[in-house]
Coordinates of all heavy atoms in Angstrom, one line a residue:
M10 N 0.8 -1.2 0.0 CA 0.0 0.0 0.0 C 0.9 1.3 0.0 O 0.6 2.2 -0.6 CB -1.0 -0.1 1.2 CG -1.9 1.1 1.2 SD -3.0 1.1 -0.2 CE -4.4 0.5 0.5
M11 N 1.9 1.3 0.8 CA 2.9 2.4 0.8 C 3.6 2.7 -0.5 O 3.7 3.9 -0.9 CB 3.9 2.2 2.0 CG 4.9 3.4 2.1 SD 4.0 4.8 2.7 CE 5.4 5.8 3.0
V12 N 3.9 1.7 -1.2 CA 4.6 1.9 -2.5 C 3.6 2.5 -3.5 O 4.0 3.5 -4.2 CB 5.0 0.5 -3.0 CG1 5.6 0.7 -4.5 CG2 6.1 -0.1 -2.1
N13 N 2.4 2.2 -3.5 CA 1.4 2.9 -4.4 C 1.3 4.3 -4.2 O 1.3 5.2 -5.1 CB 0.0 2.2 -4.3 CG -0.9 2.6 -5.4 OD1 -0.5 3.1 -6.5 ND2 -2.2 2.4 -5.2
W14 N 1.3 4.8 -2.9 CA 1.2 6.1 -2.5 C 2.5 6.8 -2.9 O 2.5 7.9 -3.4 CB 0.9 6.2 -1.0 CG 0.8 7.6 -0.5 CD1 -0.2 8.5 -0.6 CD2 1.9 8.3 0.1 NE1 0.1 9.7 -0.1 CE2 1.4 9.7 0.4 CE3 3.2 8.0 0.5 CZ2 2.1 10.6 1.0 CZ3 3.9 9.0 1.2 CH2 3.4 10.3 1.4
K15 N 3.6 6.2 -2.5 CA 4.9 6.8 -2.9 C 5.1 6.9 -4.4 O 5.6 8.0 -4.8 CB 6.0 5.8 -2.3 CG 7.4 6.4 -2.3 CD 8.3 5.3 -1.7 CE 9.6 5.8 -1.7 NZ 10.6 4.8 -1.0
K16 N 4.7 6.1 -5.2 CA 4.7 6.1 -6.7 C 3.9 7.3 -7.2 O 4.3 8.1 -8.0 CB 4.3 4.8 -7.3 CG 4.5 4.9 -8.8 CD 4.1 3.6 -9.5 CE 4.3 3.6 -11.0 NZ 3.9 2.3 -11.5
K17 N 2.7 7.5 -6.7 CA 1.9 8.6 -7.1 C 2.5 10.0 -6.8 O 2.5 10.8 -7.6 CB 0.5 8.5 -6.4 CG -0.3 7.4 -7.0 CD -1.7 7.3 -6.3 CE -2.5 6.1 -6.9 NZ -3.8 6.0 -6.2
V18 N 3.1 10.0 -5.6 CA 3.7 11.3 -5.2 C 4.9 11.5 -6.1 O 5.2 12.7 -6.5 CB 4.2 11.3 -3.8 CG1 5.1 12.5 -3.4 CG2 3.0 11.4 -2.9
Y19 N 5.7 10.5 -6.3 CA 6.9 10.5 -7.2 C 6.6 11.0 -8.6 O 7.2 11.9 -9.2 CB 7.6 9.2 -7.2 CG 9.0 9.1 -7.9 CD1 10.0 9.3 -7.0 CD2 9.2 8.9 -9.1 CE1 11.4 9.3 -7.5 CE2 10.4 8.8 -9.7 CZ 11.5 9.0 -8.9 OH 12.7 9.0 -9.4
V20 N 5.5 10.4 -9.2 CA 5.1 10.8 -10.5 C 4.5 12.3 -10.5 O 4.8 13.0 -11.4 CB 4.1 9.8 -11.1 CG1 3.6 10.2 -12.4 CG2 4.8 8.5 -11.3
A21 N 3.9 12.6 -9.4 CA 3.2 13.9 -9.4 C 4.4 15.0 -9.4 O 4.3 16.1 -10.1 CB 2.4 14.1 -8.1
F22 N 5.4 14.8 -8.6 CA 6.5 15.7 -8.6 C 7.3 15.7 -9.9 O 7.9 16.7 -10.3 CB 7.5 15.4 -7.4 CG 7.0 16.0 -6.1 CD1 6.7 15.2 -5.0 CD2 6.8 17.3 -5.9 CE1 6.3 15.7 -3.9 CE2 6.4 17.8 -4.8 CZ 6.1 17.0 -3.7
S23 N 7.3 14.6 -10.6 CA 8.0 14.6 -11.9 C 7.1 15.4 -13.0 O 7.7 16.1 -13.8 CB 8.1 13.2 -12.4 OG 8.9 12.3 -11.6
I24 N 5.8 15.3 -12.8 CA 5.0 16.2 -13.6 C 5.2 17.6 -13.3 O 5.3 18.4 -14.2 CB 3.5 15.8 -13.5 CG1 3.2 14.4 -14.1 CG2 2.5 16.8 -14.1 CD1 1.9 13.8 -13.6
L25 N 5.3 18.0 -12.1 CA 5.6 19.4 -11.6 C 7.0 19.8 -12.3 O 7.1 20.9 -12.7 CB 5.6 19.5 -10.2 CG 5.9 20.9 -9.6 CD1 4.9 21.9 -10.1 CD2 6.0 20.8 -8.1
L26 N 8.0 18.9 -12.2 CA 9.3 19.3 -12.8 C 9.1 19.5 -14.3 O 9.7 20.4 -14.8 CB 10.3 18.1 -12.5 CG 11.6 18.2 -13.2 CD1 12.3 19.5 -12.6 CD2 12.4 17.0 -12.9
G27 N 8.3 18.6 -14.9 CA 8.1 18.8 -16.4 C 7.5 20.1 -16.7 O 7.8 20.8 -17.7
I28 N 6.5 20.5 -15.9 CA 5.9 21.8 -16.1 C 6.7 23.0 -15.9 O 6.8 24.0 -16.6 CB 4.6 21.9 -15.2 CG1 3.4 20.9 -15.6 CG2 4.1 23.4 -15.2 CD1 2.3 20.8 -14.8
L29 N 7.6 22.9 -14.8 CA 8.6 24.0 -14.6 C 9.5 24.1 -15.7 O 10.0 25.2 -16.2 CB 9.3 23.7 -13.2 CG 8.3 23.9 -12.0 CD1 9.2 23.5 -10.8 CD2 7.8 25.4 -11.9
L30 N 10.0 22.9 -16.2 CA 11.0 22.9 -17.3 C 10.3 23.5 -18.6 O 11.0 24.1 -19.4 CB 11.5 21.6 -17.6 CG 12.5 21.1 -16.6 CD1 12.8 19.6 -16.8 CD2 13.7 21.9 -16.4
S31 N 9.0 23.2 -18.8 CA 8.3 23.8 -20.0 C 8.1 25.3 -19.8 O 8.2 26.0 -20.9 CB 6.9 23.1 -20.1 OG 5.9 23.7 -19.2
L32 N 8.1 25.8 -18.6 CA 8.1 27.3 -18.4 C 9.4 27.9 -18.9 O 9.4 28.9 -19.5 CB 7.7 27.6 -17.0 CG 6.3 27.4 -16.6 CD1 6.2 27.6 -15.0 CD2 5.3 28.1 -17.4
L33 N 10.6 27.1 -18.5 CA 11.8 27.7 -19.0 C 11.9 27.6 -20.5 O 12.5 28.5 -21.1 CB 12.9 26.8 -18.3 CG 13.2 27.1 -16.9 CD1 14.2 26.1 -16.4 CD2 13.7 28.5 -16.6
A34 N 11.5 26.5 -21.1 CA 11.5 26.4 -22.6 C 10.6 27.4 -23.3 O 11.0 28.0 -24.2 CB 11.0 25.0 -22.9
H35 N 9.4 27.7 -22.6 CA 8.6 28.8 -23.1 C 9.4 30.1 -23.2 O 9.3 30.8 -24.2 CB 7.4 28.8 -22.3 CG 6.4 29.9 -22.7 ND1 5.2 30.1 -22.0 CD2 6.4 30.8 -23.7 CE1 4.6 31.1 -22.6 NE2 5.3 31.5 -23.7
A36 N 10.0 30.5 -22.1 CA 10.7 31.7 -22.0 C 11.8 31.7 -22.9 O 12.1 32.8 -23.6 CB 11.3 31.9 -20.6
G37 N 12.6 30.7 -23.2 CA 13.6 30.6 -24.2 C 13.1 30.8 -25.6 O 13.7 31.5 -26.4
I38 N 12.0 30.0 -25.9 CA 11.5 30.1 -27.3 C 11.0 31.5 -27.5 O 11.2 32.1 -28.6 CB 10.3 29.1 -27.4 CG1 10.9 27.7 -27.4 CG2 9.6 29.3 -28.7 CD1 9.9 26.6 -27.2
E39 N 10.3 32.1 -26.6 CA 9.8 33.4 -26.7 C 10.9 34.5 -26.9 O 10.8 35.3 -27.7 CB 8.9 33.9 -25.5 CG 8.2 35.2 -25.8 CD 7.1 35.4 -24.8 OE1 6.9 34.7 -23.8 OE2 6.3 36.4 -25.0
A40 N 12.1 34.3 -26.1 CA 13.2 35.2 -26.3 C 13.8 35.1 -27.7 O 14.2 36.1 -28.3 CB 14.2 34.9 -25.2
L41 N 13.9 33.9 -28.2 CA 14.5 33.6 -29.5 C 13.6 34.3 -30.5 O 14.0 35.0 -31.4 CB 14.6 32.2 -29.8 CG 15.7 31.5 -29.1 CD1 15.7 29.9 -29.3 CD2 17.1 32.0 -29.5
Y42 N 12.2 34.1 -30.4 CA 11.3 34.7 -31.3 C 11.4 36.2 -31.3 O 11.4 36.9 -32.4 CB 9.9 34.2 -31.0 CG 8.8 34.8 -31.8 CD1 8.8 34.7 -33.3 CD2 7.9 35.7 -31.3 CE1 7.8 35.4 -34.0 CE2 7.0 36.5 -32.0 CZ 6.9 36.2 -33.4 OH 6.0 36.9 -34.1
L43 N 11.3 36.8 -30.1 CA 11.4 38.3 -30.0 C 12.7 38.8 -30.6 O 12.7 39.8 -31.3 CB 11.2 38.7 -28.6 CG 9.8 38.5 -28.1 CD1 9.8 38.9 -26.6 CD2 8.8 39.3 -28.8
G44 N 13.9 38.1 -30.3 CA 15.2 38.5 -31.0 C 15.1 38.4 -32.4 O 15.6 39.3 -33.2
W45 N 14.5 37.3 -33.0 CA 14.4 37.2 -34.5 C 13.5 38.3 -35.0 O 13.8 38.9 -36.0 CB 13.8 35.8 -34.8 CG 13.5 35.7 -36.3 CD1 14.3 35.4 -37.3 CD2 12.2 36.0 -36.9 NE1 13.7 35.3 -38.5 CE2 12.4 35.7 -38.3 CE3 11.0 36.3 -36.4 CZ2 11.3 35.9 -39.2 CZ3 9.9 36.5 -37.3 CH2 10.1 36.3 -38.7
A46 N 12.4 38.6 -34.4 CA 11.5 39.6 -34.8 C 12.1 40.9 -34.8 O 11.9 41.8 -35.7 CB 10.1 39.6 -34.0
D47 N 12.9 41.2 -33.8 CA 13.5 42.5 -33.7 C 14.6 42.7 -34.8 O 14.7 43.7 -35.5 CB 14.1 42.7 -32.3 CG 14.8 44.1 -32.1 OD1 14.2 45.1 -32.5 OD2 15.9 44.1 -31.5
A48 N 15.3 41.6 -35.0 CA 16.4 41.7 -36.1 C 15.8 41.8 -37.5 O 16.5 42.4 -38.3 CB 17.3 40.4 -36.0
N49 N 14.6 41.3 -37.7 CA 14.1 41.4 -39.0 C 12.9 42.4 -39.1 O 12.1 42.3 -40.1 CB 13.5 39.9 -39.4 CG 14.5 39.0 -39.6 OD1 15.6 39.2 -40.3 ND2 14.6 37.9 -38.8
N50 N 12.8 43.3 -38.2 CA 11.8 44.4 -38.2 C 10.4 43.9 -38.4 O 9.6 44.4 -39.2 CB 12.1 45.5 -39.2 CG 13.4 46.1 -38.9 OD1 13.7 46.4 -37.7 ND2 14.2 46.4 -39.9
Q51 N 10.0 42.7 -37.7 CA 8.7 42.2 -37.9 C 7.8 42.8 -36.7 O 8.3 43.0 -35.6 CB 8.8 40.6 -37.7 CG 9.6 39.9 -38.7 CD 8.9 40.0 -40.1 OE1 7.7 39.8 -40.1 NE2 9.7 40.3 -41.1
V52 N 6.5 42.9 -37.0 CA 5.5 43.3 -36.0 C 5.2 42.1 -35.2 O 4.9 41.0 -35.7 CB 4.4 43.8 -36.7 CG1 3.2 44.2 -35.7 CG2 4.7 45.2 -37.6
V53 N 5.1 42.3 -33.8 CA 4.9 41.1 -33.0 C 3.5 41.4 -32.5 O 3.1 42.5 -32.0 CB 5.8 41.2 -31.8 CG1 5.5 40.2 -30.8 CG2 7.3 40.9 -32.2
T54 N 2.6 40.4 -32.6 CA 1.4 40.4 -32.0 C 1.4 39.7 -30.6 O 2.0 38.7 -30.4 CB 0.4 39.4 -32.9 OG1 0.4 39.9 -34.2 CG2 -1.0 39.4 -32.4
W55 N 0.8 40.5 -29.7 CA 0.8 40.1 -28.3 C -0.5 39.4 -27.9 O -1.6 39.9 -28.3 CB 1.1 41.3 -27.4 CG 2.5 41.8 -27.6 CD1 2.8 42.8 -28.5 CD2 3.7 41.4 -27.0 NE1 4.2 43.0 -28.5 CE2 4.7 42.1 -27.5 CE3 4.0 40.4 -26.0 CZ2 6.0 42.0 -27.2 CZ3 5.3 40.2 -25.7 CH2 6.3 41.0 -26.3
Y56 N -0.4 38.4 -27.2 CA -1.5 37.6 -26.7 C -1.5 37.6 -25.1 O -1.0 36.8 -24.5 CB -1.5 36.2 -27.2 CG -1.5 36.0 -28.6 CD1 -0.2 35.9 -29.3 CD2 -2.7 36.0 -29.4 CE1 -0.2 35.7 -30.7 CE2 -2.5 35.9 -30.8 CZ -1.3 35.8 -31.4 OH -1.3 35.6 -32.8
G57 N -2.1 38.7 -24.6 CA -2.2 38.8 -23.2 C -0.8 38.9 -22.6 O -0.6 38.3 -21.5
G58 N 0.2 39.6 -23.1 CA 1.6 39.7 -22.5 C 2.5 38.7 -23.0 O 3.6 38.7 -22.5
C59 N 2.1 37.9 -23.9 CA 3.0 36.8 -24.5 C 2.9 37.0 -25.9 O 1.9 37.1 -26.6 CB 2.6 35.5 -24.0 SG 3.6 34.1 -24.5
S60 N 4.1 36.7 -26.6 CA 4.2 36.9 -28.0 C 3.9 35.6 -28.8 O 3.8 35.6 -29.9 CB 5.5 37.4 -28.4 OG 6.5 36.5 -28.1
L61 N 3.9 34.5 -28.1 CA 3.6 33.1 -28.7 C 2.1 33.0 -28.8 O 1.3 33.3 -27.9 CB 4.2 32.0 -27.8 CG 5.7 32.0 -27.7 CD1 6.2 30.8 -26.9 CD2 6.4 32.0 -29.1
H62 N 1.7 32.3 -29.9 CA 0.2 32.0 -30.1 C -0.3 31.2 -28.9 O 0.5 30.4 -28.4 CB 0.1 31.3 -31.3 CG -1.3 31.3 -31.8 ND1 -2.2 30.2 -31.3 CD2 -2.0 32.0 -32.6 CE1 -3.3 30.4 -31.9 NE2 -3.4 31.5 -32.7
P63 N -1.5 31.4 -28.4 CA -2.0 30.6 -27.4 C -1.9 29.0 -27.6 O -1.7 28.3 -26.6 CB -3.5 31.0 -27.2 CG -3.4 32.4 -27.7 CD -2.5 32.4 -28.9
F64 N -2.1 28.6 -28.8 CA -2.0 27.2 -29.1 C -0.5 26.7 -28.8 O -0.4 25.6 -28.2 CB -2.3 26.9 -30.6 CG -2.1 25.5 -31.0 CD1 -3.1 24.5 -30.6 CD2 -0.9 24.9 -31.7 CE1 -2.9 23.2 -30.9 CE2 -0.7 23.7 -32.0 CZ -1.7 22.7 -31.6
I65 N 0.5 27.5 -29.2 CA 1.9 27.1 -28.9 C 2.1 27.2 -27.3 O 2.8 26.2 -26.8 CB 2.8 28.1 -29.6 CG1 2.7 27.9 -31.1 CG2 4.3 27.8 -29.2 CD1 3.4 28.9 -32.0
Q66 N 1.5 28.1 -26.7 CA 1.7 28.1 -25.2 C 1.1 26.9 -24.5 O 1.7 26.3 -23.7 CB 1.0 29.4 -24.7 CG 1.6 30.7 -25.1 CD 0.7 31.9 -24.6 OE1 0.3 31.8 -23.4 NE2 0.5 32.9 -25.3
A67 N -0.1 26.5 -25.0 CA -0.7 25.4 -24.5 C 0.0 24.1 -24.8 O 0.2 23.2 -24.0 CB -2.2 25.3 -24.9
A68 N 0.6 24.0 -26.0 CA 1.3 22.8 -26.4 C 2.6 22.7 -25.7 O 2.9 21.5 -25.2 CB 1.6 22.9 -27.9
I69 N 3.2 23.7 -25.4 CA 4.5 23.6 -24.6 C 4.2 23.2 -23.1 O 4.8 22.3 -22.6 CB 5.2 24.9 -24.5 CG1 5.8 25.3 -25.9 CG2 6.3 25.0 -23.5 CD1 6.2 26.8 -26.0
F70 N 3.1 23.7 -22.6 CA 2.6 23.3 -21.3 C 2.3 21.8 -21.2 O 2.7 21.0 -20.2 CB 1.4 24.1 -20.8 CG 1.0 23.8 -19.3 CD1 1.6 24.4 -18.3 CD2 -0.1 23.0 -19.2 CE1 1.2 24.1 -17.0 CE2 -0.6 22.7 -17.9 CZ 0.1 23.3 -16.8
V71 N 1.5 21.4 -22.1 CA 1.0 20.0 -22.2 C 2.2 19.0 -22.5 O 2.3 18.0 -21.8 CB -0.1 19.7 -23.3 CG1 -0.4 18.3 -23.5 CG2 -1.4 20.5 -22.8
L72 N 3.1 19.4 -23.3 CA 4.3 18.6 -23.5 C 5.1 18.4 -22.3 O 5.7 17.3 -22.0 CB 5.0 19.1 -24.7 CG 4.6 18.8 -26.1 CD1 5.4 19.7 -27.1 CD2 4.5 17.4 -26.4
G73 N 5.2 19.5 -21.5 CA 5.9 19.5 -20.3 C 5.3 18.5 -19.3 O 6.0 17.7 -18.6
A74 N 4.0 18.6 -19.1 CA 3.3 17.8 -18.2 C 3.3 16.3 -18.7 O 3.6 15.4 -17.8 CB 1.8 18.2 -18.0
V75 N 3.1 16.0 -19.9 CA 3.1 14.7 -20.4 C 4.5 14.1 -20.3 O 4.7 12.9 -19.8 CB 2.5 14.5 -21.9 CG1 2.7 13.2 -22.4 CG2 1.1 14.9 -21.8
G76 N 5.5 14.8 -20.6 CA 6.9 14.5 -20.6 C 7.3 14.2 -19.2 O 8.0 13.2 -18.9
G77 N 6.9 15.0 -18.2 CA 7.2 14.8 -16.8 C 6.5 13.5 -16.4 O 7.2 12.7 -15.5
F78 N 5.4 13.2 -16.8 CA 4.7 11.9 -16.4 C 5.4 10.7 -16.9 O 5.7 9.8 -16.0 CB 3.2 11.9 -17.0 CG 2.5 10.6 -16.8 CD1 2.0 10.4 -15.5 CD2 2.4 9.8 -17.8 CE1 1.3 9.1 -15.3 CE2 1.7 8.6 -17.6 CZ 1.2 8.2 -16.4
F79 N 5.7 10.6 -18.1 CA 6.5 9.6 -18.6 C 7.9 9.4 -18.0 O 8.4 8.3 -17.8 CB 6.5 9.6 -20.1 CG 5.2 9.1 -20.7 CD1 4.5 10.1 -21.4 CD2 4.7 7.9 -20.5 CE1 3.3 9.7 -22.0 CE2 3.5 7.5 -21.0 CZ 2.8 8.4 -21.8
L80 N 8.5 10.6 -17.8 CA 9.8 10.6 -17.2 C 9.7 10.1 -15.7 O 10.6 9.3 -15.3 CB 10.5 12.1 -17.2 CG 11.8 12.1 -16.8 CD1 12.7 11.4 -17.7 CD2 12.3 13.6 -16.7
G81 N 8.7 10.4 -15.0 CA 8.5 10.0 -13.7 C 8.3 8.4 -13.7 O 8.8 7.7 -12.8
L82 N 7.6 7.9 -14.6 CA 7.3 6.4 -14.7 C 8.7 5.7 -15.0 O 9.0 4.7 -14.4 CB 6.3 6.1 -15.6 CG 4.9 6.4 -15.4 CD1 4.0 6.1 -16.6 CD2 4.4 5.8 -14.1
W83 N 9.4 6.3 -15.9 CA 10.8 5.8 -16.3 C 11.8 5.8 -15.1 O 12.4 4.8 -14.8 CB 11.3 6.6 -17.5 CG 12.6 6.0 -18.0 CD1 12.8 4.7 -18.4 CD2 13.8 6.8 -18.3 NE1 14.1 4.7 -18.9 CE2 14.7 5.9 -18.8 CE3 14.1 8.2 -18.1 CZ2 16.0 6.3 -19.2 CZ3 15.4 8.6 -18.4 CH2 16.3 7.6 -19.0
W84 N 11.9 6.9 -14.4 CA 12.7 7.0 -13.3 C 12.2 6.0 -12.2 O 13.1 5.5 -11.5 CB 12.7 8.4 -12.8 CG 13.7 9.4 -13.6 CD1 14.6 9.0 -14.5 CD2 13.7 10.8 -13.5 NE1 15.1 10.1 -15.0 CE2 14.6 11.2 -14.4 CE3 13.0 11.7 -12.7 CZ2 14.9 12.6 -14.6 CZ3 13.3 13.1 -12.9 CH2 14.2 13.5 -13.8
W85 N 11.0 6.0 -12.0 CA 10.5 5.0 -11.0 C 10.9 3.6 -11.2 O 11.4 2.9 -10.3 CB 8.9 5.0 -10.9 CG 8.3 4.1 -9.9 CD1 7.9 2.8 -10.1 CD2 8.2 4.3 -8.5 NE1 7.6 2.2 -9.0 CE2 7.7 3.2 -7.9 CE3 8.5 5.4 -7.7 CZ2 7.4 3.0 -6.6 CZ3 8.2 5.4 -6.3 CH2 7.6 4.0 -5.8
R86 N 10.9 3.2 -12.5 CA 11.3 1.9 -12.8 C 12.9 1.7 -12.6 O 13.2 0.7 -12.0 CB 11.0 1.6 -14.3 CG 11.2 0.1 -14.7 CD 11.0 -0.2 -16.2 NE 12.1 0.2 -16.9 CZ 12.2 1.1 -17.8 NH1 11.1 1.7 -18.2 NH2 13.3 1.5 -18.4
I87 N 13.6 2.7 -12.9 CA 15.1 2.6 -12.8 C 15.4 2.5 -11.3 O 16.3 1.8 -10.9 CB 15.7 3.7 -13.5 CG1 15.6 3.6 -15.1 CG2 17.2 3.8 -13.1 CD1 16.1 4.7 -15.9
V88 N 14.9 3.5 -10.5 CA 15.4 3.7 -9.1 C 14.7 2.6 -8.3 O 15.5 2.1 -7.4 CB 15.0 5.1 -8.7 CG1 15.2 5.2 -7.2 CG2 15.7 6.1 -9.5
Y89 N 13.4 2.3 -8.3 CA 12.8 1.5 -7.4 C 12.5 0.0 -7.8 O 12.4 -0.9 -6.9 CB 11.5 2.1 -7.0 CG 11.6 3.4 -6.1 CD1 11.5 4.5 -6.7 CD2 12.0 3.3 -4.8 CE1 11.7 5.7 -6.0 CE2 12.3 4.4 -4.0 CZ 12.0 5.7 -4.6 OH 12.2 6.7 -3.9
I90 N 12.5 -0.2 -9.1 CA 12.2 -1.6 -9.5 C 13.5 -2.3 -9.9 O 13.9 -3.3 -9.4 CB 11.2 -1.6 -10.6 CG1 9.8 -1.1 -10.1 CG2 11.0 -3.0 -11.2 CD1 8.8 -0.9 -11.3
E91 N 14.2 -1.6 -10.8 CA 15.5 -2.2 -11.3 C 16.7 -1.9 -10.3 O 17.7 -2.6 -10.5 CB 15.8 -1.7 -12.7 CG 14.8 -2.1 -13.7 CD 15.2 -1.5 -15.1 OE1 16.1 -0.9 -15.3 OE2 14.3 -1.6 -16.0
K92 N 16.6 -0.9 -9.5 CA 17.5 -0.5 -8.5 C 18.9 -0.3 -9.2 O 19.9 -0.7 -8.6 CB 17.6 -1.5 -7.4 CG 16.4 -1.6 -6.7 CD 16.5 -2.5 -5.5 CE 15.1 -2.7 -4.7 NZ 14.4 -1.7 -4.2
R93 N 19.0 0.4 -10.3 CA 20.2 0.5 -11.1 C 20.8 1.9 -10.8 O 21.8 2.3 -11.4 CB 20.1 0.5 -12.6 CG 19.2 -0.2 -13.2 CD 19.5 -0.1 -14.8 NE 18.4 0.5 -15.4 CZ 18.5 1.1 -16.5 NH1 19.6 1.2 -17.1 NH2 17.4 1.7 -17.1
H94 N 20.3 2.7 -10.0 CA 20.8 4.1 -9.8 C 22.1 4.1 -9.0 O 22.8 5.1 -9.0 CB 19.7 4.9 -9.1 CG 19.3 4.4 -7.7 ND1 18.6 3.3 -7.5 CD2 19.6 4.9 -6.5 CE1 18.4 3.1 -6.2 NE2 19.0 4.1 -5.6
W95 N 22.5 3.1 -8.3 CA 23.7 3.0 -7.5 C 24.8 2.2 -8.3 O 25.9 2.3 -7.8 CB 23.5 2.6 -6.1 CG 22.6 3.3 -5.3 CD1 21.4 3.0 -4.9 CD2 22.9 4.7 -4.8 NE1 20.9 4.0 -4.1 CE2 21.7 5.1 -4.1 CE3 23.9 5.5 -5.0 CZ2 21.7 6.3 -3.5 CZ3 23.9 6.8 -4.3 CH2 22.7 7.2 -3.6
H96 N 24.5 1.5 -9.3 CA 25.4 0.6 -9.9 C 26.0 1.3 -11.1 O 25.4 1.9 -11.9 CB 24.7 -0.6 -10.4 CG 24.0 -1.4 -9.2 ND1 24.7 -2.1 -8.3 CD2 22.7 -1.6 -8.9 CE1 23.9 -2.5 -7.4 NE2 22.6 -2.3 -7.8
K97 N 27.3 1.1 -11.3 CA 28.0 1.5 -12.4 C 28.1 0.4 -13.4 O 28.2 -0.7 -13.1 CB 29.5 2.0 -12.1 CG 29.5 3.2 -11.2 CD 31.0 3.6 -11.0 CE 31.1 4.9 -10.1 NZ 32.4 5.3 -9.9
N98 N 28.0 0.8 -14.7 CA 28.1 -0.2 -15.8 C 29.5 -0.7 -15.8 O 30.4 0.0 -15.8 CB 27.7 0.4 -17.1 CG 26.2 0.7 -17.1 OD1 25.4 0.1 -16.4 ND2 25.9 1.7 -18.0
K99 N 29.6 -2.1 -15.8 CA 30.9 -2.7 -15.9 C 31.2 -3.4 -17.2 O 30.3 -3.9 -17.8 CB 31.0 -3.8 -14.7 CG 31.0 -3.1 -13.4 CD 31.2 -4.0 -12.3 CE 31.2 -3.3 -10.9 NZ 31.3 -4.3 -9.9

């Protein structure tokens, strides 16, 4: 019973990590886009304080959450099932 609860918390924190990393990716993509637009004298359309289209914003967020979910499952398997996190490959 404890392992099931522990796994849910582990995966939830992995999802949170994925979302936080998606925010960093969003900032980086937006900075690159604004730099490109400035260098090429392009007009930037703003969507509520953000220059990326809302679909792109949502896609980055969802990719971060889904990626965090699968990364959490993968790490759970490596750390708690296979117990390979302490072993060096020989």
Side-chain angles (χ1 to χ4, degrees):
M10 186 60 100
M11 179 66 171
V12 173
N13 191 21
W14 178 80
K15 190 176 181 180
K16 182 178 181 181
K17 288 179 183 179
V18 170
Y19 192 88
V20 172
F22 278 119
S23 295
I24 292 170
L25 180 62
L26 175 64
I28 291 170
L29 292 174
L30 290 174
S31 76
L32 293 175
L33 288 174
H35 179 182
I38 292 168
E39 188 167 7
L41 288 172
Y42 171 68
L43 289 174
W45 173 84
D47 185 42
N49 294 305
N50 295 323
Q51 297 291 318
V52 176
V53 176
T54 303
W55 293 93
Y56 301 96
C59 182
S60 63
L61 298 178
H62 192 275
F64 176 78
I65 296 172
Q66 295 177 45
I69 293 171
F70 181 83
V71 168
L72 285 173
V75 171
F78 174 76
F79 286 114
L80 191 63
L82 291 179
W83 183 53
W84 282 346
W85 177 266
R86 190 185 79 239
I87 289 173
V88 173
Y89 291 101
I90 295 173
E91 298 175 7
K92 299 184 189 296
R93 331 186 243 153
H94 61 290
W95 296 113
H96 303 288
K97 291 183 180 181
N98 293 335
K99 294 181 180 180

